[in-house]
Every structure is written in structure tokens, then in C-alpha cells.
Amino acid sequence: AAFMFNASAVYHTFRCVSSRLASTLLQIDIMGIGVMISGSYVPPIWMGFMCLQKWRALYLSLSVAILILSAVLSLDLMPHQYRTAALTGLVVVGLVPATHWAVAMPESVALHLGWRLLLMFACYGGGVFFFVTYFPERAMPQGHITDIWFNSHTIWHIFVCAAAVSLWINCEVMRDWYRDGKTMNSC
């Protein structure tokens, strides 16, 4: 998350220097999004599939594949609308291990920890909604407050930050479960 937020801050701060620099910084910014997406899968997969080693290896490999694909997406080889759809698809792919985890875990564990994981995906989804629809800019006249504040891009950043916080809290709770001797499932 730190890499993504720093890459985004550098892009938004220095993109006005030149169009060439803006293009390069945008590629780094998009790579940061990919690092955030793939990185948000690793801790829950590592801890959640501790007793299911083969699945853990498969899903961690999937995270690496997502990171590589996001690096390819950052090369600016496809139009913006397809890149956004591809990055959204990378988030949706993460629902596969999350669903598998929820089904494989005892119901009490899935209920206690699963809602935080779903909150992360909901935050990603909310951010994508605002980013893709350009709401609220489309609903307000030009020159309104959304030119600087509360535009879809800013709202997207808020949702992504909320997703990162949700992931962090979930990882802390999962770590505490292991530290206290509780298990996610019986190995």
C-alpha cells in the first residue's frame, strides 16, 4: 500500500512538469496499483491457508501472476478503458481464494474474519464504481467543487485507503488468533 500511495503522490505532484515525465510517472502509478492489489492477497492467503499448503502455493503463485500482469498493464500498451477493466479483473480474481477460504474454514472463523475480507473487496469495488462512472463530476456543472475536491478520483483514493486499512486490521486479527493459539482450521 505504501508503494502505491507514494507512487500516486509523486505522479499527481510532478505530472505537470512535462508530458513525458507524466507518462512515465503514470506507468509507475499503475504499477503501484498492481502491487497494492497483489500485495493485498498475500497475508490472508499465507495465514488463511496455513494448513492447506498446496492451495497456499497455488494462490500465492496467482498473486505473483497478478503482479506480473499489472507490470505489463503499466507499460501503457492498451487504451485507458481496457486497462481499468483489466485492473478491476485483477481484484475480482482475488475473490476465488477468498471464497475458497470461507468455504474451507469452520463457520465461526469465517464469520469472525470473513466480513473484514469482504469489506476490503467492497472498498475496492466502491472505488472502482466512482473511478469508472466519474460520479459526482457528471452530476454537477463544470467549475463546481468537484474540480478540486470530492471528485471521483479523490473518492477512489479514499476507498483504496479504506481497503488497505481493512486489510491491515484483518491481518492484525488473524495474527492475534495465531498468537493466542487459536487455529483457523484443524491441521
Side-chain angles (χ1 to χ4, degrees), residues 5-17 21 25:
F5 288 119
N6 283 315
S8 184
V10 169
Y11 166 68
H12 288 291
T13 302
F14 296 106
R15 70 181 181 175
C16 60
V17 172
L21 181 63
L25 292 176

Side-chain angles (χ1 to χ4, degrees), residues 146-165:
T146 58
D147 285 349
I148 299 174
W149 302 103
F150 306 113
N151 57 53
S152 59
H153 194 88
T154 302
I155 295 169
W156 175 80
H157 277 284
I158 291 168
F159 271 99
V160 170
C161 186
V165 169

Side-chain angles (χ1 to χ4, degrees), residues 176-184:
D176 290 345
W177 272 52
Y178 283 115
R179 186 181 289 159
D180 297 340
K182 298 176 184 172
T183 58
M184 301 275 178

Side-chain angles (χ1 to χ4, degrees), residues 35-99:
V35 168
M36 171 77 175
I37 292 169
S38 65
S40 66
Y41 298 154
V42 173
I45 289 171
W46 184 262
M47 290 185 268
F49 289 94
M50 187 147 311
C51 297
L52 304 169
Q53 295 293 321
K54 290 180 183 176
W55 287 106
R56 180 204 261 180
L58 175 71
Y59 291 138
L60 288 175
S61 299
L62 177 67
S63 293
V64 171
I66 289 171
L67 182 61
I68 292 168
L69 184 57
S70 66
V72 171
L73 289 173
S74 72
L75 296 175
D76 205 22
L77 301 174
M78 64 176 62
H80 174 73
Q81 67 269 21
Y82 298 124
R83 187 174 50 217
T84 302
L87 288 169
T88 302
L90 296 180
V91 172
V92 172
V93 166
L95 291 171
V96 173
T99 303

